[in-house]
Amino acid sequence: MLRTKTCGELRASNVGETATLCGWVEGYRDHGGLVFIDLRDRYGKTQVVFNPAEGAEMHEMARGLRSEDVIRAVGKVVARPADMLNPKLETGAIDLRATSLEILNKSKTPPFEPSSTELPAEELRLRYRFIDLRRPSLQQALILRHKITLLTREYFDKLGFLEIETPMLGKSTPEGARDYLVPSRTHPGHFFALPQSPQLFKQLLMVGGYDRYMQIARCFRDEDLRADRQPEFTQIDVEMAFVEREDILSVIDGLVASVAEKITGQKVQLPLPRYSYHDVMERYGSDKPDLRYGMELVDISDLARTCGFNAFKAAVEKPQGRVRGLNVKAGAEKYSRKTIDELTQFVGQYGAKGLAFFRVKEGSLDSPIAKFFNETEQREIIKRFGGESGDLLFLVADANKSVTSAALAALRSRLGKELKLFDPKELKAAWVLDFPLVTYNEEEKRWDAEHHPFCYPLKEDVPYLESDPGRVRAQSYDLIVNGYEAASGSVRIHDAATQQKVFSLLGVAPEEAERRFGFLLEALRYGAPPHAGIALGLDRWVMMFCGNENIREVIAFPKTQKAADLLSGAPSPVDDKQLRELRIRVDLPK
């Protein structure tokens, strides 16, 4: 080894020892004789002192060191004077007094300093990711990711799960997002697809008798990106046979509690709370609400029918029309008319045609539209919202209740962050159950699977598959944490007849089903056991444990929001020879 100690290892107990350190130069100070270098590696930082008395040539070399040079220093560990101790640094009680210096590699002037507290633009950091990876916060995130992965494997191993790899090259099947396709050279005109998830293969493992499966699985989806989504991602994939929904929830409850306690010290009370899909949509407008604070939605649609405000009355005249809102406690003085106008534009992004507001003042409402509500109606509105003087009520009216849900959920999330209504270090997890099996696609006039086409309906709802599909609930479940979908799963359909009923509902004819999913349907005809599973987004879990909102900060080599790798330049054109071998002709737009 080129070193005997790491840069974060030496302590006062090592005083008097000789040590060899290797690392990157982070800081340089020349005090007119002594040269001080902060030497850094992923374990920490140590101050190295170069004294001309220890060798003029070495001292001159030290004076030429600059940021990100890679060096090897040998020296004696000495105690710092009492007035020079650095309690913020784990090695702050000692220095390494160098007796030898070797420059392993000189660095060009870096485009940014990894130690800087002011980060440059993300594009620059992604372009020079090999430098960005030296940042302590990013290193800590990747170390945390490793620990969570290790704890996960240990947890499932103790419960008798087997980690089994599934193929990366598979068949293209509709699972909700676009596939990444891989052309086959040996089968011209045919394509593999990178897995959106190991869904079909882990079901086949259940048929094959491997009743407890898990995998740290790589997945790929060619979809529009955002801060918490990547085109390639990692999930903790789980499947169990001869179980019911509650068995899956119980196993994952234990995983969440175990990892949370070992990573943060926070004890999670079990079982985790359970909410129905209908319940969270009514109370929060979202199927993944942040439960660290209240601000629940309130419905005044019945009052809107009799009020004098036409915008409210027109909305509730429609079958799906609703008027709903939320209460910003003590918000009347915090939000001016200008900021309310900004919030109005914000909810407009979610389909809302406007944002009504009332300030609560001594038992009455103050607003440009308050005159359209009589005294009794105003008192009832204040009562329903739990209003007190100084509160600010926001309301959205629309002929489609989904618009009120989306707009108010987004507004609630924004206000929660702006007003700092929660502890960013707290993890608040809960289950959302009984999602709709299907939702109606108005544009294409057909039913779409809410999760995926392999979810088993609730047994009591099976009779409605043909007569009233929108009423059918799935035995599906999402784990929500701090406003994110942290896991998603379902009890699977394990018999071919029910699977074909669901396919038919989705407009997939038997012939089409056999063509796309024939291998799964065939397996279900050969003694498939009842089974269920779930997948947890590892990247999102690490992001949440780090208190971060950008998933790219917890992935070593992420893509941009346009699915590009700025470091390597991918995606990129390929040679004509490669295209000819694959029998592919590129038709680019002019």
Side-chain angles (χ1 to χ4, degrees), residues 464-500:
Y464 303 116
L465 276 173
E466 296 179 3
S467 61
D468 191 2
R471 183 175 176 177
V472 180
R473 294 164 295 169
Q475 294 190 56
S476 56
Y477 31 85
D478 279 4
L479 180 63
I480 58 169
V481 181
N482 297 0
Y484 292 101
E485 177 194 304
S488 185
S490 69
V491 176
R492 320 302 188 190
I493 298 172
H494 66 277
D495 64 281
T498 303
Q499 184 65 78
Q500 186 53 59

Tab-separated table of all heavy atoms in Angstrom, residues 464-500:
chain	number	residue	atom	x	y	z
A	464	TYR	N	-67.606	-6.484	-10.774
A	464	TYR	CA	-67.804	-5.217	-11.484
A	464	TYR	C	-66.837	-5.027	-12.661
A	464	TYR	O	-66.871	-3.997	-13.323
A	464	TYR	CB	-67.631	-4.041	-10.512
A	464	TYR	CG	-68.548	-4.105	-9.318
A	464	TYR	CD1	-68.030	-4.254	-8.026
A	464	TYR	CD2	-69.927	-4.021	-9.467
A	464	TYR	CE1	-68.860	-4.311	-6.917
A	464	TYR	CE2	-70.770	-4.086	-8.358
A	464	TYR	CZ	-70.230	-4.230	-7.092
A	464	TYR	OH	-71.060	-4.302	-6.003
A	465	LEU	N	-65.975	-6.008	-12.909
A	465	LEU	CA	-65.009	-5.868	-13.996
A	465	LEU	C	-65.680	-5.563	-15.330
A	465	LEU	O	-65.179	-4.771	-16.122
A	465	LEU	CB	-64.166	-7.141	-14.122
A	465	LEU	CG	-62.957	-7.244	-13.189
A	465	LEU	CD1	-62.327	-8.623	-13.297
A	465	LEU	CD2	-61.929	-6.164	-13.505
A	466	GLU	N	-66.813	-6.174	-15.566
A	466	GLU	CA	-67.504	-5.977	-16.838
A	466	GLU	C	-68.582	-4.904	-16.747
A	466	GLU	O	-68.778	-4.128	-17.679
A	466	GLU	CB	-68.109	-7.297	-17.311
A	466	GLU	CG	-67.054	-8.366	-17.613
A	466	GLU	CD	-67.679	-9.669	-18.068
A	466	GLU	OE1	-68.922	-9.723	-18.205
A	466	GLU	OE2	-66.934	-10.641	-18.286
A	467	SER	N	-69.272	-4.827	-15.602
A	467	SER	CA	-70.416	-3.914	-15.500
A	467	SER	C	-70.032	-2.489	-15.101
A	467	SER	O	-70.640	-1.523	-15.569
A	467	SER	CB	-71.434	-4.463	-14.496
A	467	SER	OG	-70.843	-4.577	-13.200
A	468	ASP	N	-69.024	-2.332	-14.238
A	468	ASP	CA	-68.669	-1.005	-13.731
A	468	ASP	C	-67.174	-0.963	-13.404
A	468	ASP	O	-66.773	-0.915	-12.237
A	468	ASP	CB	-69.499	-0.687	-12.478
A	468	ASP	CG	-69.387	0.773	-12.053
A	468	ASP	OD1	-68.692	1.550	-12.758
A	468	ASP	OD2	-69.985	1.135	-11.022
A	469	PRO	N	-66.298	-0.962	-14.429
A	469	PRO	CA	-64.850	-1.068	-14.196
A	469	PRO	C	-64.283	0.035	-13.307
A	469	PRO	O	-63.363	-0.207	-12.526
A	469	PRO	CB	-64.262	-0.990	-15.606
A	469	PRO	CG	-65.371	-1.403	-16.510
A	469	PRO	CD	-66.630	-0.920	-15.863
A	470	GLY	N	-64.826	1.253	-13.418
A	470	GLY	CA	-64.301	2.353	-12.617
A	470	GLY	C	-64.493	2.158	-11.135
A	470	GLY	O	-63.847	2.833	-10.326
A	471	ARG	N	-65.359	1.220	-10.752
A	471	ARG	CA	-65.644	0.953	-9.344
A	471	ARG	C	-64.672	-0.063	-8.745
A	471	ARG	O	-64.577	-0.215	-7.530
A	471	ARG	CB	-67.078	0.438	-9.217
A	471	ARG	CG	-67.570	0.168	-7.823
A	471	ARG	CD	-69.040	-0.217	-7.862
A	471	ARG	NE	-69.548	-0.588	-6.547
A	471	ARG	CZ	-70.803	-0.911	-6.283
A	471	ARG	NH1	-71.699	-0.904	-7.268
A	471	ARG	NH2	-71.181	-1.247	-5.071
A	472	VAL	N	-63.939	-0.763	-9.609
A	472	VAL	CA	-63.085	-1.862	-9.164
A	472	VAL	C	-61.808	-1.316	-8.526
A	472	VAL	O	-61.095	-0.501	-9.109
A	472	VAL	CB	-62.727	-2.795	-10.343
A	472	VAL	CG1	-61.829	-3.933	-9.855
A	472	VAL	CG2	-63.989	-3.341	-10.988
A	473	ARG	N	-61.532	-1.793	-7.327
A	473	ARG	CA	-60.302	-1.432	-6.631
A	473	ARG	C	-59.294	-2.571	-6.764
A	473	ARG	O	-59.672	-3.742	-6.819
A	473	ARG	CB	-60.577	-1.158	-5.152
A	473	ARG	CG	-61.458	0.063	-4.896
A	473	ARG	CD	-62.009	0.039	-3.487
A	473	ARG	NE	-62.919	-1.098	-3.297
A	473	ARG	CZ	-63.389	-1.503	-2.113
A	473	ARG	NH1	-63.031	-0.859	-1.016
A	473	ARG	NH2	-64.205	-2.536	-2.031
A	474	ALA	N	-58.032	-2.195	-6.812
A	474	ALA	CA	-56.967	-3.192	-6.944
A	474	ALA	C	-56.370	-3.503	-5.577
A	474	ALA	O	-56.383	-2.678	-4.668
A	474	ALA	CB	-55.880	-2.674	-7.879
A	475	GLN	N	-55.832	-4.701	-5.460
A	475	GLN	CA	-55.075	-5.051	-4.260
A	475	GLN	C	-53.650	-4.519	-4.428
A	475	GLN	O	-52.673	-5.248	-4.450
A	475	GLN	CB	-55.066	-6.565	-4.043
A	475	GLN	CG	-56.436	-7.148	-3.718
A	475	GLN	CD	-56.355	-8.590	-3.283
A	475	GLN	OE1	-55.651	-8.932	-2.333
A	475	GLN	NE2	-57.092	-9.459	-3.975
A	476	SER	N	-53.594	-3.217	-4.580
A	476	SER	CA	-52.310	-2.549	-4.779
A	476	SER	C	-52.027	-1.649	-3.589
A	476	SER	O	-52.928	-1.318	-2.805
A	476	SER	CB	-52.314	-1.750	-6.084
A	476	SER	OG	-53.378	-0.826	-6.097
A	477	TYR	N	-50.791	-1.212	-3.477
A	477	TYR	CA	-50.391	-0.439	-2.305
A	477	TYR	C	-49.140	0.365	-2.644
A	477	TYR	O	-48.247	-0.098	-3.350
A	477	TYR	CB	-50.103	-1.365	-1.120
A	477	TYR	CG	-49.562	-2.715	-1.515
A	477	TYR	CD1	-48.195	-2.922	-1.735
A	477	TYR	CD2	-50.428	-3.794	-1.710
A	477	TYR	CE1	-47.704	-4.160	-2.113
A	477	TYR	CE2	-49.952	-5.042	-2.093
A	477	TYR	CZ	-48.575	-5.217	-2.291
A	477	TYR	OH	-48.092	-6.446	-2.685
A	478	ASP	N	-49.114	1.585	-2.160
A	478	ASP	CA	-47.941	2.454	-2.297
A	478	ASP	C	-47.453	2.826	-0.911
A	478	ASP	O	-48.269	3.116	-0.009
A	478	ASP	CB	-48.281	3.740	-3.055
A	478	ASP	CG	-48.290	3.546	-4.562
A	478	ASP	OD1	-48.112	2.401	-5.017
A	478	ASP	OD2	-48.505	4.540	-5.277
A	479	LEU	N	-46.157	2.838	-0.737
A	479	LEU	CA	-45.562	3.361	0.485
A	479	LEU	C	-45.155	4.801	0.205
A	479	LEU	O	-44.387	5.072	-0.727
A	479	LEU	CB	-44.340	2.530	0.885
A	479	LEU	CG	-43.620	2.969	2.164
A	479	LEU	CD1	-44.535	2.848	3.370
A	479	LEU	CD2	-42.350	2.140	2.370
A	480	ILE	N	-45.695	5.731	0.962
A	480	ILE	CA	-45.388	7.149	0.757
A	480	ILE	C	-44.538	7.656	1.923
A	480	ILE	O	-44.768	7.296	3.076
A	480	ILE	CB	-46.666	7.998	0.610
A	480	ILE	CG1	-47.577	7.852	1.840
A	480	ILE	CG2	-47.426	7.605	-0.645
A	480	ILE	CD1	-48.712	8.844	1.897
A	481	VAL	N	-43.554	8.476	1.588
A	481	VAL	CA	-42.667	9.038	2.606
A	481	VAL	C	-42.383	10.493	2.242
A	481	VAL	O	-41.866	10.785	1.165
A	481	VAL	CB	-41.336	8.264	2.690
A	481	VAL	CG1	-40.445	8.850	3.781
A	481	VAL	CG2	-41.577	6.782	2.950
A	482	ASN	N	-42.782	11.397	3.123
A	482	ASN	CA	-42.455	12.824	2.967
A	482	ASN	C	-42.859	13.391	1.608
A	482	ASN	O	-42.159	14.219	1.019
A	482	ASN	CB	-40.959	13.052	3.186
A	482	ASN	CG	-40.515	12.699	4.587
A	482	ASN	OD1	-41.317	12.280	5.421
A	482	ASN	ND2	-39.242	12.853	4.866
A	483	GLY	N	-43.993	12.941	1.085
A	483	GLY	CA	-44.484	13.476	-0.173
A	483	GLY	C	-43.963	12.760	-1.401
A	483	GLY	O	-44.215	13.204	-2.524
A	484	TYR	N	-43.253	11.661	-1.229
A	484	TYR	CA	-42.744	10.884	-2.357
A	484	TYR	C	-43.369	9.487	-2.354
A	484	TYR	O	-43.699	8.946	-1.293
A	484	TYR	CB	-41.217	10.711	-2.270
A	484	TYR	CG	-40.436	11.982	-2.459
A	484	TYR	CD1	-39.918	12.661	-1.364
A	484	TYR	CD2	-40.199	12.497	-3.727
A	484	TYR	CE1	-39.186	13.825	-1.522
A	484	TYR	CE2	-39.467	13.660	-3.900
A	484	TYR	CZ	-38.968	14.322	-2.802
A	484	TYR	OH	-38.247	15.479	-2.967
A	485	GLU	N	-43.496	8.918	-3.556
A	485	GLU	CA	-43.838	7.502	-3.657
A	485	GLU	C	-42.531	6.739	-3.465
A	485	GLU	O	-41.672	6.720	-4.339
A	485	GLU	CB	-44.436	7.190	-5.033
A	485	GLU	CG	-44.744	5.722	-5.244
A	485	GLU	CD	-45.003	5.379	-6.694
A	485	GLU	OE1	-45.900	6.010	-7.302
A	485	GLU	OE2	-44.300	4.501	-7.233
A	486	ALA	N	-42.383	6.097	-2.309
A	486	ALA	CA	-41.132	5.420	-1.975
A	486	ALA	C	-41.152	3.946	-2.339
A	486	ALA	O	-40.099	3.306	-2.390
A	486	ALA	CB	-40.840	5.574	-0.484
A	487	ALA	N	-42.335	3.389	-2.574
A	487	ALA	CA	-42.457	1.985	-2.972
A	487	ALA	C	-43.837	1.778	-3.554
A	487	ALA	O	-44.785	2.511	-3.237
A	487	ALA	CB	-42.235	1.061	-1.780
A	488	SER	N	-43.948	0.778	-4.405
A	488	SER	CA	-45.240	0.473	-5.019
A	488	SER	C	-45.305	-1.023	-5.296
A	488	SER	O	-44.313	-1.634	-5.698
A	488	SER	CB	-45.417	1.257	-6.320
A	488	SER	OG	-46.709	1.054	-6.864
A	489	GLY	N	-46.489	-1.601	-5.069
A	489	GLY	CA	-46.625	-3.032	-5.323
A	489	GLY	C	-48.072	-3.454	-5.357
A	489	GLY	O	-48.996	-2.641	-5.263
A	490	SER	N	-48.270	-4.763	-5.484
A	490	SER	CA	-49.635	-5.290	-5.562
A	490	SER	C	-49.626	-6.796	-5.367
A	490	SER	O	-48.590	-7.462	-5.510
A	490	SER	CB	-50.264	-4.961	-6.926
A	490	SER	OG	-49.637	-5.703	-7.950
A	491	VAL	N	-50.812	-7.313	-5.028
A	491	VAL	CA	-51.063	-8.742	-5.148
A	491	VAL	C	-51.244	-9.024	-6.632
A	491	VAL	O	-51.967	-8.305	-7.318
A	491	VAL	CB	-52.321	-9.158	-4.354
A	491	VAL	CG1	-52.646	-10.635	-4.568
A	491	VAL	CG2	-52.135	-8.850	-2.869
A	492	ARG	N	-50.566	-10.056	-7.133
A	492	ARG	CA	-50.578	-10.327	-8.573
A	492	ARG	C	-51.731	-11.253	-8.957
A	492	ARG	O	-52.198	-12.062	-8.141
A	492	ARG	CB	-49.269	-10.979	-9.022
A	492	ARG	CG	-48.014	-10.438	-8.392
A	492	ARG	CD	-47.809	-8.952	-8.599
A	492	ARG	NE	-46.472	-8.554	-8.123
A	492	ARG	CZ	-46.070	-7.321	-7.986
A	492	ARG	NH1	-46.884	-6.317	-8.274
A	492	ARG	NH2	-44.848	-7.048	-7.552
A	493	ILE	N	-52.135	-11.135	-10.188
A	493	ILE	CA	-53.080	-12.102	-10.753
A	493	ILE	C	-52.314	-13.402	-10.995
A	493	ILE	O	-51.277	-13.397	-11.669
A	493	ILE	CB	-53.676	-11.577	-12.069
A	493	ILE	CG1	-54.469	-10.288	-11.812
A	493	ILE	CG2	-54.558	-12.626	-12.725
A	493	ILE	CD1	-54.931	-9.588	-13.076
A	494	HIS	N	-52.814	-14.494	-10.422
A	494	HIS	CA	-52.078	-15.747	-10.566
A	494	HIS	C	-52.834	-16.807	-11.369
A	494	HIS	O	-52.381	-17.957	-11.446
A	494	HIS	CB	-51.705	-16.322	-9.187
A	494	HIS	CG	-52.877	-16.743	-8.361
A	494	HIS	ND1	-53.609	-15.864	-7.589
A	494	HIS	CD2	-53.461	-17.962	-8.191
A	494	HIS	CE1	-54.577	-16.510	-6.978
A	494	HIS	NE2	-54.511	-17.789	-7.320
A	495	ASP	N	-53.966	-16.416	-11.975
A	495	ASP	CA	-54.661	-17.368	-12.836
A	495	ASP	C	-54.920	-16.711	-14.192
A	495	ASP	O	-55.229	-15.525	-14.288
A	495	ASP	CB	-55.977	-17.830	-12.202
A	495	ASP	CG	-56.971	-16.703	-12.028
A	495	ASP	OD1	-56.827	-15.922	-11.059
A	495	ASP	OD2	-57.880	-16.572	-12.864
A	496	ALA	N	-54.792	-17.501	-15.238
A	496	ALA	CA	-54.867	-16.986	-16.602
A	496	ALA	C	-56.231	-16.407	-16.938
A	496	ALA	O	-56.337	-15.439	-17.696
A	496	ALA	CB	-54.498	-18.092	-17.594
A	497	ALA	N	-57.307	-16.969	-16.378
A	497	ALA	CA	-58.656	-16.501	-16.704
A	497	ALA	C	-58.866	-15.064	-16.228
A	497	ALA	O	-59.371	-14.214	-16.981
A	497	ALA	CB	-59.693	-17.425	-16.080
A	498	THR	N	-58.498	-14.775	-14.971
A	498	THR	CA	-58.650	-13.410	-14.460
A	498	THR	C	-57.724	-12.457	-15.194
A	498	THR	O	-58.089	-11.316	-15.487
A	498	THR	CB	-58.350	-13.367	-12.944
A	498	THR	OG1	-59.209	-14.281	-12.266
A	498	THR	CG2	-58.557	-11.968	-12.390
A	499	GLN	N	-56.517	-12.933	-15.521
A	499	GLN	CA	-55.592	-12.086	-16.247
A	499	GLN	C	-56.159	-11.685	-17.603
A	499	GLN	O	-56.049	-10.537	-18.019
A	499	GLN	CB	-54.250	-12.806	-16.432
A	499	GLN	CG	-53.177	-11.960	-17.091
A	499	GLN	CD	-52.755	-10.771	-16.253
A	499	GLN	OE1	-52.002	-10.912	-15.297
A	499	GLN	NE2	-53.240	-9.579	-16.574
A	500	GLN	N	-56.825	-12.618	-18.280
A	500	GLN	CA	-57.394	-12.292	-19.581
A	500	GLN	C	-58.580	-11.333	-19.444
A	500	GLN	O	-58.793	-10.472	-20.306
A	500	GLN	CB	-57.835	-13.563	-20.326
A	500	GLN	CG	-58.307	-13.304	-21.747
A	500	GLN	CD	-57.295	-12.515	-22.574
A	500	GLN	OE1	-56.160	-12.938	-22.759
A	500	GLN	NE2	-57.682	-11.342	-23.061
